[in-house]
Amino acid sequence: MSYSIQQASEQTGLSVHTLRYYEKIGLILDVARNAAGRRQYSDADLQWIRFLKQLKATGMPLVQMKTFAELRRGGHATHAARRGLLAAHRTAVEAQISALHDCLDLIDYKINKHLQGENADDNTTSNRNVAGE
Amino acid sequence: MSYSIQQASEQTGLSVHTLRYYEKIGLILDVARNAAGRRQYSDADLQWIRFLKQLKATGMPLVQMKTFAELRRGGHATHAARRGLLAAHRTAVEAQISALHDCLDLIDYKINKHLQGENADDNTTSNRNVAGE
DNA sequence: GTACAAGTTAGAGTATGCTCTAAATCAAGA
DNA sequence: TCTTGATTTAGAGCATACTCTAACTTGTAC
């Protein structure tokens, strides 16, 4: 099964512009072309693009994804390197989750403060050591 | 207690450039000045800046933080609006956490795949419906 | 064959969020 | 007083990640 750039866009949720851009900067490699020079995305291509989207959702910069894309093209020899990258990123994602939980706690505290109708404009007298209103 | 911009920078982890920038775009309001026109940050200011930093860590755009900053200046009358904003943001942060957990799962799958020495370059024969290598 | 939609490229433009520079002012120590 | 370092402003510059434009080619329907 192969897909036009428009179909790939629909399947992945990235715009056609973005798909071309990702290819230009080396995130998507070796996309097949038909006789007329048009892109023919494979299922594997779409899976890879969805993976990129996931990585992006975790805040990974495109340049780091590019590193991964290049390693991927290197085949078996690069398995260890890719594993290392993923492991490092895993740690980063866990830290992010932890930071978001902290923020949730803070938001809950703030919401609660507002619900109770406390003087929410005077941070200096807060009985809890959290950031200002 | 009041703090110079340099001290505020040290206390909050934002650069002095960023502190001035945040003030310029309306994220930090009504910072006191001494006779010479130099900024004198209060403890309340620092708490507010730390709160901004937390919001930023959750991916909130500066323009939305600015809305919150303006509401804050509005005092009691804006409590409900602020509560609404925070509640909406809470939902967004929860969604983010959930997305990050999904990504962790995917990363774990990938790491595992590499550890086992499977053919990690052939996505089309993957026995699991996840994104490409 | 003639529209018309969809594809191609290179390259310009935009949005966000800083980050730095220049020129001037100010405060404190030798 | 002179120097050094910190501050001030307006505004320029930069990095990231798109997003769009122009000019052209291709494929399909009528």
Side-chain angles (χ1 to χ4, degrees):
Chain A
M1 190 62 185
S2 87
Y3 307 86
S4 71
I5 194 164
Q6 187 123 99
Q7 290 171 324
S9 170
E10 284 155 14
Q11 293 288 317
T12 62
L14 296 183
S15 74
V16 295
H17 290 302
T18 301
L19 286 172
R20 290 200 200 97
Y21 171 66
Y22 276 14
E23 191 174 329
K24 184 154 70 178
I25 66 171
L27 285 187
I28 307 170
L29 302 166
D30 309 319
V31 176
R33 301 287 181 124
N34 67 12
R38 303 203 172 173
R39 291 173 180 81
Q40 294 183 302
Y41 291 91
S42 66
D43 286 295
D45 289 331
L46 296 193
Q47 284 188 319
W48 169 248
I49 292 164
R50 288 191 199 102
F51 181 49
L52 291 178
K53 230 189 142 184
Q54 283 270 49
L55 290 181
K56 192 180 167 292
T58 66
M60 182 186 279
L62 302 190
V63 67
Q64 199 173 334
M65 294 189 212
K66 184 182 170 176
T67 302
F68 202 85
E70 283 161 358
L71 284 174
R72 181 176 176 243
R73 183 151 64 175
H76 298 299
T78 68
H79 276 187
R82 282 184 264 170
R83 194 161 57 241
L85 256 182
L86 286 177
H89 191 58
R90 190 188 199 295
T91 303
V93 172
E94 276 179 337
Q96 252 192 89
I97 290 174
S98 167
L100 287 180
H101 276 298
D102 288 350
C103 190
L104 269 193
D105 289 345
L106 179 56
I107 290 172
D108 285 342
Y109 168 70
K110 293 268 175 194
I111 289 176
N112 214 36
K113 202 161 122 182
H114 285 173
L115 277 169
Q116 292 168 358
E118 281 181 26
N119 180 1
D121 304 306
D122 179 5
N123 297 297
T124 61
T125 61
S126 171
N127 57 356
R128 191 169 178 272
N129 189 20
V130 295
E133 186 71 357
Chain B
M1 189 63 185
S2 86
Y3 307 86
S4 71
I5 194 164
Q6 187 123 101
Q7 290 170 325
S9 169
E10 284 155 14
Q11 292 289 318
T12 63
L14 297 183
S15 74
V16 295
H17 291 302
T18 300
L19 287 173
R20 290 200 200 95
Y21 170 67
Y22 277 13
E23 192 175 328
K24 185 156 68 177
I25 66 171
L27 285 187
I28 307 170
L29 301 167
D30 310 317
V31 176
R33 300 288 182 123
N34 67 13
R38 303 204 171 172
R39 292 173 181 81
Q40 292 183 303
Y41 293 90
S42 67
D43 286 295
D45 288 333
L46 296 192
Q47 284 187 320
W48 168 247
I49 292 164
R50 289 190 198 102
F51 180 50
L52 290 178
K53 228 189 145 186
Q54 283 270 46
L55 289 181
K56 192 180 166 291
T58 67
M60 183 186 278
L62 302 191
V63 66
Q64 199 173 334
M65 293 190 215
K66 185 184 169 174
T67 301
F68 201 85
E70 283 161 358
L71 284 174
R72 180 174 176 247
R73 184 152 62 175
H76 297 301
T78 68
H79 277 187
R82 282 185 264 171
R83 194 161 58 240
L85 255 181
L86 286 177
H89 190 57
R90 190 189 199 293
T91 304
V93 172
E94 276 180 337
Q96 252 193 89
I97 291 173
S98 168
L100 287 179
H101 275 297
D102 287 351
C103 191
L104 268 194
D105 288 345
L106 179 56
I107 290 172
D108 285 341
Y109 168 70
K110 293 267 175 194
I111 289 175
N112 214 36
K113 202 162 123 182
H114 285 173
L115 276 168
Q116 292 167 358
E118 282 181 25
N119 180 0
D121 304 307
D122 179 5
N123 297 297
T124 61
T125 61
S126 172
N127 56 356
R128 191 170 178 272
N129 189 21
V130 295
E133 186 71 358

